[in-house]
Amino acid sequence: MASSNSALPKTMHAWTYTLASPDLPAALTLNTSAPLPPNPPPKGHYLVQVLSSSINPIDYKIPELPLIPRLIITKPASPGCDFCGRIAAVPASSSSTEKTLEVGTPVFGRLDSPTQFGTCAAYTMAPFNGVVALPDGVAPDDAASAATTGLTAFQQIVPRVKPGARVFINGGSGGVGCWGIQIAKAVGAKEVVVACSKGNFGLCESLGADRCVDYRSEDVVEAVKKLAKEDGVFDLVVDNVGVPSQLYYQSHQFLKEGVEFVQVGGGFGLGDIGALMSKMAWPRWFGGGRRKFLFLGVENSNEDFERIGGWLKEGKCKAVIEEKVDAHEEGGPKKAFEMLKTGRVKGKIVVNGWSE
């Protein structure tokens, strides 16, 4: 198997930034002659030709931090971690225990974290554990939208939900929430309750939610307490938002004893970090009881990606995409990030058209 393709271009189209100021959307520019990632790629990585990519809050939150991005991300850099594409090159040599995909194989997956060669570009460099073959019949846009959010929801739900379980998801209409509803149902949850705006009730119900709580007109904590009193405590609570904080501090009133309260949402401001640290420390101070707080760190897993891809192929899960933006249109990804930063996106935003 050839490790690299000498016919690959030396440059590519990529949306890049040097300093995310005043914010990432404002800093992005289209570079039509950006250098490709290394070819052949380093050990443990593929060079991937991107067809579609999708964006997540971490893609702008990390670059917009005041100091850390300057230390960990080489500039100019492209944002984005999620992709669907095809293998363009493999390492010159791999361990005998590593099974590499062949050049030309359609694939999808995600990078470990924001990096110099992000997925808002025609080519990216992805780790082996973040790349799996694209199942036949699954659209590239759908697969790209499943990477980070689908994997996050999978790792929230699957290890903790058994058939017949009751699940509450705070933030049901966002990227992770849309996957969480479907994955909970796919593994046998009896009832899924979500908090979202009233305007998104229909979307969440179409994905399998049994009940919806309007966070704009109801006190979410009181609503969940009432549901637990009427029908029994929940087997899992997932918080994709991070607010209200009382959802965690009052969870002993609606969450089964000894199980984890799982959070992934939240900002990177000092107040947000302080609130998170307080939640993490609370069980140690007071003995925990019913409340075991877990801030989930998502990790790439080929097996998890393969199950998500299988559910897409079988129709057990579907991608929810609010907007598709062409990579080459004027302001394409800039528009996508501006939309994402409003916090009101239903499902995902996809950037496509990178390659034919």
Side-chain angles (χ1 to χ4, degrees):
M1 175 177 16
S3 63
S4 65
N5 185 344
S6 59
L8 292 177
K10 301 298 183 183
T11 62
M12 63 178 177
H13 286 204
W15 284 86
T16 63
Y17 69 94
T18 300
L19 181 64
S21 178
D23 64 4
L24 182 66
L28 284 175
T29 59
L30 178 60
N31 185 346
T32 59
S33 58
L36 262 68
N39 178 27
K43 185 178 179 180
H45 291 76
Y46 295 109
L47 179 64
V48 176
Q49 183 181 19
V50 178
L51 299 174
S52 298
S53 54
S54 69
I55 59 174
N56 301 284
I58 195 173
D59 297 331
Y60 69 80
K61 289 182 177 181
I62 293 291
E64 290 179 0
L65 289 173
L67 180 60
I68 294 175
R70 303 183 190 186
L71 301 176
I72 65 174
I73 302 176
T74 302
K75 310 295 191 311
S78 296
C81 293
D82 296 1
F83 64 87
C84 182
R86 60 176 68 94
I87 301 295
V90 300
S93 62
S94 297
S95 166
S96 59
T97 62
E98 291 176 324
K99 182 179 180 182
T100 58
L101 297 167
E102 294 185 357
V103 171
T105 303
V107 293
F108 78 100
R110 69 186 284 270
L111 312 185
D112 290 316
S113 62
T115 183
Q116 179 185 7
F117 298 110
T119 60
C120 283
Y123 290 84
T124 191
M125 187 170 64
F128 281 0
N129 66 357
V131 184
V132 296
L134 178 70
D136 292 340
V138 176
D141 287 351
D142 291 353
S145 75
T148 293
T149 51
L151 186 67
T152 301
F154 185 100
Q155 293 180 359
Q156 289 173 337
I157 302 290
V158 174
R160 300 171 179 85
V161 171
K162 298 179 180 179
R166 299 186 74 224
V167 178
F168 174 70
I169 299 174
N170 187 32
S173 60
V176 178
C178 286
W179 282 101
I181 295 168
Q182 297 179 86
I183 289 174
K185 286 294 187 177
V187 297
K190 178 181 179 181
E191 183 178 30
V192 177
V193 179
V194 304
C196 61
S197 66
K198 188 173 183 179
N200 290 327
F201 280 14
L203 168 63
C204 292
E205 289 167 352
S206 73
L207 299 174
D210 298 283
R211 303 190 196 185
C212 300
V213 176
D214 181 9
Y215 72 88
R216 291 179 175 172
S217 64
E218 299 181 64
D219 183 313
V220 173
V221 177
E222 293 303 317
V224 180
K225 285 182 185 179
K226 181 180 179 181
L227 290 172
K229 186 175 181 179
E230 293 173 349
D231 300 319
V233 294
F234 288 88
D235 299 284
L236 176 65
V237 171
V238 169
D239 188 357
N240 296 319
V241 184
V243 293
S245 291
Q246 288 301 311
L247 186 66
Y248 170 63
Y249 294 118
Q250 296 296 315
S251 62
H252 61 287
Q253 299 191 51
F254 51 80
L255 180 60
K256 184 177 290 185
E257 184 175 358
V259 302
E260 293 171 321
F261 179 107
V262 181
Q263 181 177 329
V264 296
F268 282 8
L270 291 178
D272 301 310
I273 295 173
L276 177 61
M277 296 300 291
S278 176
K279 292 176 185 177
M280 295 175 72
W282 185 273
R284 292 196 294 271
W285 293 344
F286 294 96
R290 295 171 182 262
R291 298 172 290 196
K292 291 187 177 181
F293 183 79
L294 173 66
F295 188 80
L296 184 69
V298 180
E299 297 182 356
N300 283 342
S301 165
N302 294 143
E303 292 182 0
D304 294 354
F305 277 129
E306 287 169 354
R307 287 192 67 183
I308 293 167
W311 283 332
L312 279 170
K313 180 178 180 179
E314 296 163 9
K316 292 182 178 180
C317 294
K318 64 180 180 180
V320 178
I321 301 172
E322 178 170 342
E323 187 81 12
K324 297 183 181 182
V325 176
D326 188 278
H328 302 289
E329 76 175 42
E330 185 176 354
K334 293 171 72 79
K335 172 186 173 183
F337 278 105
E338 287 168 354
M339 291 179 60
L340 184 64
K341 291 189 73 173
T342 67
R344 299 186 181 90
V345 174
K346 302 173 186 176
K348 296 289 292 180
I349 300 173
V350 167
V351 181
N352 59 21
W354 291 107
S355 307
E356 296 300 327

